[in-house]
Amino acid sequence: LKAQAEAECEVGDFSTAIGTFDKALALDPDNAEIKAERDEAARKAEAKRLQAQGEAELAAGDYSKAVDTLLAALKLDPTNTVVAQEEQTAEKKDLAAELKAEADQMMDYDKFLDAAETYGKAAALDTDNTALLKLQADALDKAKAQELKAVGEHQMEAEDYPAAVEAFDEALEYDPHNAEILEMRDDCAHIAKALELKAQAEAEMAAGEYEKAVETFLAALEEDPDNMDVAKEEKDAEKM
């Protein structure tokens, strides 16, 4: 029976081995060697149960629990290299999840470059999680969009509206759903068009085509209703 139980332990069938050791102990209750082997089989059986639990927690994404469970398994079966490797994987995934949470918060505060770096660290720890690489790429895109937005704002301050539109358009290639950039781009496009029409109307005025000039000034005002210069010039054209 002892040999049978040892064979069962060899194939990892510790629960069955415990029953076989118990039968052997019933025949030889004072056998210290069988008692020791039976206790070792019991430890390994519990370690195997904890390993399965830890693997289930790992698969469910409950990495912190998986770490605790697999460490408990290792305490019972310290030489189990498979459990040791699984525990290391759980630790890395747990840390990666913490880093992802930090990066998510950075994104909320528009700290896109910091977020990209943190997503990258998380991805290095959890190499199977391709979503982390996508999040990193998205953060880098948003950082580039913000950089181009700043260029557009600078062009707006310089009243170079066509250049501002170009910068905002490029920014939207990186962050196409950014409502703020979309609004600024549209505002600049309207102002740029209004200035283009204003120049056209002034040329018409200079050529004595006053009726055309009025129409063109009015079209410019549709693009930029707050442009007082255009409004004044349109009134002057009407008087001609």
Side-chain angles (χ1 to χ4, degrees):
L1 287 170
K2 176 175 176 291
Q4 179 184 333
E6 289 170 343
E8 290 162 349
C9 286
E10 281 294 316
V11 296
D13 191 358
F14 302 112
S15 296
T16 302
I18 291 168
T20 307
F21 279 129
D22 284 342
K23 289 177 184 177
L25 285 170
L27 297 172
D28 188 4
D30 297 324
N31 191 314
E33 185 179 357
I34 295 175
K35 283 181 181 179
E37 288 189 40
R38 193 264 182 207
D39 289 345
E40 178 66 12
R43 282 194 295 273
K44 290 195 173 183
E46 177 61 8
K48 189 173 182 180
R49 184 191 72 77
L50 288 168
Q51 180 186 4
Q53 179 183 328
E55 288 169 346
E57 291 164 345
L58 192 58
D62 198 347
Y63 305 125
S64 182
K65 277 189 178 180
V67 169
D68 291 342
T69 303
L70 292 168
L71 283 174
L74 274 176
K75 190 174 181 180
L76 294 169
D77 189 5
T79 61
N80 191 320
T81 56
V82 174
V83 175
Q85 185 175 2
E86 289 175 337
E87 189 277 328
Q88 287 296 310
T89 298
E91 277 194 17
K92 289 179 180 179
K93 286 182 178 289
D94 189 34
L95 180 54
E98 290 179 10
L99 288 169
K100 177 188 177 295
E102 289 178 17
D104 289 343
Q105 191 171 33
M106 291 171 188
M107 292 291 286
D108 290 339
Y109 288 96
D110 293 346
K111 296 179 179 179
F112 300 121
L113 285 176
D114 289 341
E117 182 181 356
T118 306
Y119 283 131
K121 289 178 181 177
L125 290 168
D126 190 357
T127 54
D128 298 328
N129 192 338
T130 56
L132 291 169
L133 292 174
K134 184 178 184 306
L135 288 169
Q136 183 186 32
D138 289 345
L140 288 171
D141 281 347
K142 288 184 183 295
K144 184 63 176 177
Q146 290 300 304
E147 178 185 329
L148 289 163
K149 173 177 172 282
V151 172
E153 289 170 335
H154 178 72
Q155 300 292 359
M156 282 181 69
E157 290 175 6
E159 297 185 355
D160 188 350
Y161 297 105
V165 169
E166 185 178 341
F168 290 135
D169 278 339
E170 191 175 354
L172 288 168
E173 291 178 10
Y174 290 96
D175 191 3
H177 304 297
N178 189 309
E180 184 182 9
I181 296 176
L182 278 166
E183 183 178 359
M184 295 176 77
R185 186 261 176 218
D186 289 345
D187 287 346
C188 281
H190 285 303
I191 294 172
K193 184 62 176 176
L195 291 174
E196 178 188 330
L197 289 166
K198 177 177 177 287
Q200 178 185 330
E202 288 169 345
E204 291 164 348
M205 286 282 288
E209 298 176 337
Y210 304 118
E211 288 186 10
K212 276 189 178 180
V214 169
E215 291 177 3
T216 307
F217 279 130
L218 288 172
L221 282 171
E222 287 182 9
E223 296 288 342
D224 186 10
D226 298 325
N227 192 317
M228 301 309 294
D229 289 338
V230 174
K232 181 180 181 302
E233 290 187 62
E234 189 276 327
K235 292 298 183 187
D236 291 342
E238 283 187 6
K239 296 174 183 177
M240 303 299 289

